Amino acid sequence: GHRFETGTQSHEAIAGATAAIEYIASLGDGSLDDAYARIEAHEAELTRHFLAELPEVELYGIRDPERAGERTPTFCLNVSGLEPREAAARLADAGLYVWDGNYYALEPIRALGLGEEGAVRIGFLHYSTVEEVDRTLAALTALSRSRRITPLPGRTNSQ
C-alpha cells in the first residue's frame, strides 16, 4: 500500500488531531462522551440565558429559552436601524467580536429575505462564560435603544 502514498504524511495534522482529542477528553472525566455531555449542558445554559434576556432585536431561529436544547449557541440577528456591518463594528469597539454578512450560507440568508448585507452572527462555545454573555446582552440592549456602547480603552465607537 505504501507505493500509493502521495508523499510524507502530515505529521503536524496528526499531532494536532491527537492534541485536540486529548483536550476535549480533558473537559470530562477523561472520556469523550462525558466531555461532550458537559459541553452540551454548558452551551445549552448559555443559550437559555442569552434567549431569556435578549433585547428587542430581530432573531432568526428559535427564540424560546425553554427550547434552547433544540438549537446551537450560534445566533443570527439584526438590530433595527443598523446595517449588520455597522452593528458588528460597534460591538467590536466594545471588545465583542462577532461576524456579519452571509456566513457562506447565501441561500438561507436569501430565504430569510436578508439581502446582500445578511445579518450579525454571535456564537458562544464551551469556553464562553456567563459574564461574556451578559456583556453581549448589555451591548445589544444599548444598540437596540440607539445608544452608544462603552468602548474598551483605546478604542472609539464606529459612527
Side-chain angles (χ1 to χ4, degrees):
H2 292 296
R3 66 181 175 192
F4 298 111
E5 180 64 43
T6 59
T8 304
Q9 291 183 357
S10 175
H11 297 286
E12 299 87 354
I14 294 168
T18 301
I21 292 167
E22 289 171 354
Y23 166 72
I24 292 170
S26 77
L27 299 175
D29 64 2
S31 80
L32 290 175
D33 289 339
D34 185 58
Y36 281 118
R38 289 180 185 191
I39 291 168
E40 182 178 15
H42 178 70
E43 290 178 352
E45 184 55 38
L46 295 178
T47 299
R48 270 190 289 284
H49 182 65
F50 184 76
L51 293 174
E53 302 296 325
L54 190 62
E56 287 301 315
V57 297
E58 184 68 31
L59 177 71
Y60 306 96
I62 297 170
R63 189 179 184 113
D64 182 358
E66 297 304 314
R67 295 179 58 201
E70 297 176 43
R71 63 168 301 144
T72 65
T74 304
F75 306 91
C76 177
L77 58 88
N78 275 313
V79 178
S80 180
L82 289 176
E83 294 294 325
R85 173 73 36 103
E86 178 67 17
R90 289 189 187 192
L91 291 168
D93 287 342
L96 299 166
Y97 300 102
V98 301
W99 304 266
D100 69 277
N102 63 35
Y103 335 127
Y104 303 102
L106 189 54
E107 291 308 316
I109 292 293
R110 284 182 179 157
L112 289 169
L114 298 178
E116 295 303 314
E117 296 82 26
V120 174
R121 180 180 177 200
I122 299 172
F124 303 113
L125 295 164
H126 68 279
Y127 50 78
S128 299
T129 65
V130 173
E131 292 77 20
E132 290 169 326
V133 174
D134 287 339
R135 282 186 53 230
T136 304
L137 288 165
L140 284 172
T141 298
L143 281 181
S144 70
R145 294 179 180 166
S146 299
R147 296 190 327 227
R148 289 177 159 244
I149 299 174
T150 303
L152 288 179
R155 297 181 186 262
T156 58
N157 276 342
S158 302
Q159 295 264 343

